[in-house]
Amino acid sequence: QTTFGSIFLGNVPVHEKIHRCAGQIHGYKGCVRDFQVNNKELFIIDEALGGRNIENCNVPICDYHPCRNGGTCTSDAENWFCECPKLYSGKLCQFVTCDENPCGNGATCFPKSRRDAVCLCPYGRSGILCSDAINISQPSFSGTDVFGYTSFLAYSTIPSITFYYEFRLKFQLANHHSALQDNLIFFTGQKGQGLNGDDFLALGLRNGRVVHSYNLGSGTATIISKPLDLTLNIHVIHLGRYLQKGWLKVDDQKNKTATSPGRLVGLNVFSQFYLGGYHEYTPELLPEGSRFKNGFQGCIFDVQVRTSMNQEFKSPGTPEGHPNSGRSVGQCKDSPCNLIKCRNGGKCIESGSTIYCDCLTGWKGAFCTETVSVCEPEHDPPHLCKQGSTCVPLPTGYTCHCPLGTTGTYCEQG
């Protein structure tokens, strides 16, 4: 390659200054980093052929508070970095860290917004990060949360349910209207296909009535109770099936029966027994006839089952009464919001054992104790730095760091 000239960074040698230009030419005063030519990075000091009056740059970048989301800026003579809170990552702590999951004990991490995450707690855990152990004897379910997930318990497959089953359980509704509209109590079946011929067993609430549905592979049978007596605090359900004939008894109502269509007589299910909801949050994954829009809202207790008239009733699970897994299930009548205090007008939201603070505009963080930076997308009004540039907050206002090829106050000029 042939070189026809040199690149001068910052200033040119005095004998090469062009004096014909109007006004005096001044050299650049400041710091230069990340110098690129034709997309190739040049190492400013190592590759320089010569220079004069150059010293190491030591701008106190931390004075400009570049770290977002409550990050702590640390710098030395050559570099700086942000120490991020648990829920954030990235050079400026600008990313929600569900990729690095701050939630403990197998919890489901969900980004509540661009700046905050929520930990959906597994069975037996509670707290902001699901670090608190709780004892559950009467599980409390919260239905479908604002993130689209249902609270649920999953027990091992109920054996020998093919030709006969009988269930007994009690439940207490949450004190709001939506708990009666379209809510699943329990489900087991060939879920995942959503076909008319899928075998399943489901119990739920629809328009204030209890619904017992089952499909043996040749059509769905549905038994619907009379409207629930809402003056009762606790409701009692007893249901069963032998071959094609099923029945349902609710509280003091009369027993109601139905017969499934077709010739098939066996219920062939291999899934776990789901109580209160299901692991997937898409009802369309469940078979036709078993779909309820929401999970159960309230408490379910004393669940018992037997698969032969000669057996004694037992709690589901292996070992008996122990679920395999669960999500956002609390203890009935206990409020985990009693254990935390949201600041600056934030409201504590609970979904079973899952809790988080819903912050007012301008506040963020697990307890709404941090202000929203002027450079964050949620700030009102939003910053004006163009896409591809970096917004860096200043003690008053902000500045835009422009990518190569752009300039201007907001990096709006090519």
Side-chain angles (χ1 to χ4, degrees):
Q1 295 181 351
T2 302
T3 303
F4 293 98
S6 300
I7 297 175
F8 294 97
L9 191 62
N11 201 356
V12 296
V14 64
H15 64 274
E16 295 188 25
K17 286 185 179 180
I18 303 174
H19 296 286
R20 290 176 297 175
C21 296
Q24 187 180 3
I25 297 178
H26 295 280
Y28 173 74
K29 294 181 180 181
C31 300
V32 177
R33 60 182 300 175
D34 298 332
F35 183 46
Q36 298 181 34
V37 177
N38 294 334
N39 295 320
K40 179 182 182 298
E41 181 177 1
L42 296 182
F43 296 95
I44 298 175
I45 301 300
D46 295 344
E47 297 188 37
L49 299 177
R52 183 172 59 242
N53 297 330
I54 301 296
E55 61 183 18
N56 198 36
C57 186
N58 187 17
V59 177
I61 187 68
C62 287
D63 290 349
Y64 296 104
H65 307 290
C67 305
R68 307 177 188 177
N69 301 311
T72 301
C73 184
T74 301
S75 67
D76 55 28
E78 296 184 356
N79 211 342
W80 64 274
F81 63 93
C82 296
E83 294 181 4
C84 301
K86 286 185 177 181
L87 296 181
Y88 300 93
S89 66
K91 174 72 173 178
L92 303 176
C93 305
Q94 72 272 40
F95 300 122
V96 174
T97 56
C98 274
D99 289 341
E100 300 176 3
N101 199 349
C103 308
N105 302 295
T108 301
C109 181
F110 191 90
K112 181 176 67 170
S113 69
R114 295 182 183 181
R115 63 184 188 272
D116 282 323
V118 171
C119 299
L120 308 181
C121 296
Y123 175 74
R125 291 285 172 172
S126 184
I128 292 290
L129 297 177
C130 305
S131 55
D132 303 327
I134 58 172
N135 184 33
I136 298 175
S137 57
Q138 295 184 349
S140 172
F141 302 88
S142 55
T144 306
D145 60 30
V146 295
F147 313 111
Y149 290 89
T150 60
S151 57
F152 76 93
L153 291 176
Y155 297 86
S156 56
T157 303
I158 298 174
S160 307
I161 200 174
T162 306
F163 301 112
Y164 182 91
Y165 62 73
E166 193 175 351
F167 287 87
R168 297 190 304 201
L169 61 92
K170 299 175 183 177
F171 68 83
Q172 186 176 23
L173 292 170
N175 187 27
H176 44 74
H177 184 64
S178 61
L180 288 165
Q181 295 307 302
D182 201 11
N183 306 80
L184 180 69
I185 298 176
F186 70 61
F187 168 86
T188 185
Q190 299 175 359
K191 69 181 184 65
Q193 301 299 320
L195 303 176
N196 288 321
D198 285 350
D199 287 25
F200 71 83
L201 161 64
L203 181 71
L205 293 168
R206 187 167 286 135
N207 298 323
R209 302 169 184 259
V210 178
V211 179
H212 169 204
S213 296
Y214 59 94
N215 190 333
L216 308 180
S218 55
T220 300
T222 302
I223 309 170
I224 303 175
S225 75
K226 292 182 179 180
L228 289 173
D229 181 358
L230 299 183
T231 64
L232 297 175
N233 186 38
I234 296 177
H235 301 276
V236 179
I237 296 180
H238 195 181
L239 63 94
R241 177 194 64 87
Y242 176 61
L243 301 179
Q244 292 178 295
K245 187 175 181 179
W247 52 273
L248 171 68
K249 180 170 174 56
V250 177
D251 296 330
D252 293 328
Q253 298 180 16
K254 290 184 178 180
N255 195 53
K256 301 191 74 171
T257 62
T259 302
S260 63
R263 297 182 179 182
L264 299 179
V265 296
L267 177 65
N268 300 306
V269 298
F270 312 103
S271 77
Q272 300 181 92
F273 176 74
Y274 290 88
L275 187 67
Y278 36 84
H279 188 273
E280 297 84 359
Y281 58 92
T282 306
E284 287 72 24
L285 289 175
L286 301 181
E288 291 282 355
S290 69
R291 299 176 184 175
F292 291 84
K293 293 180 180 178
N294 299 295
F296 185 78
Q297 299 175 49
C299 302
I300 302 176
F301 41 94
D302 296 344
V303 179
Q304 295 184 316
V305 59
R306 66 180 181 181
T307 55
S308 169
M309 292 187 65
N310 300 322
Q311 287 182 346
E312 292 186 359
F313 280 93
K314 293 184 178 181
S315 299
T318 306
E320 183 182 348
H322 290 266
N324 294 337
S325 62
R327 178 177 58 222
S328 299
V329 175
Q331 170 69 359
C332 192
K333 298 181 181 178
D334 281 354
S335 174
C337 278
N338 293 333
L339 303 177
I340 71 168
K341 185 175 182 180
C342 304
R343 306 289 181 175
N344 300 303
K347 181 181 179 182
C348 181
I349 305 295
E350 61 178 84
S351 295
S353 62
T354 294
I355 53 174
Y356 62 93
C357 290
D358 189 20
C359 304
L360 293 178
T361 301
W363 294 96
K364 64 179 183 180
F367 301 99
C368 306
T369 55
E370 305 162 29
T371 57
V372 177
S373 164
V374 67
C375 285
E376 293 182 70
E378 293 81 6
H379 188 270
D380 188 17
H383 67 80
L384 300 177
C385 297
K386 297 299 181 181
Q387 188 172 6
S389 62
T390 301
C391 175
V392 177
L394 302 176
T396 56
Y398 62 94
T399 186
C400 302
H401 283 184
C402 303
L404 191 67
T406 63
T407 186
T409 303
Y410 307 115
C411 308
E412 75 280 9
Q413 301 174 18

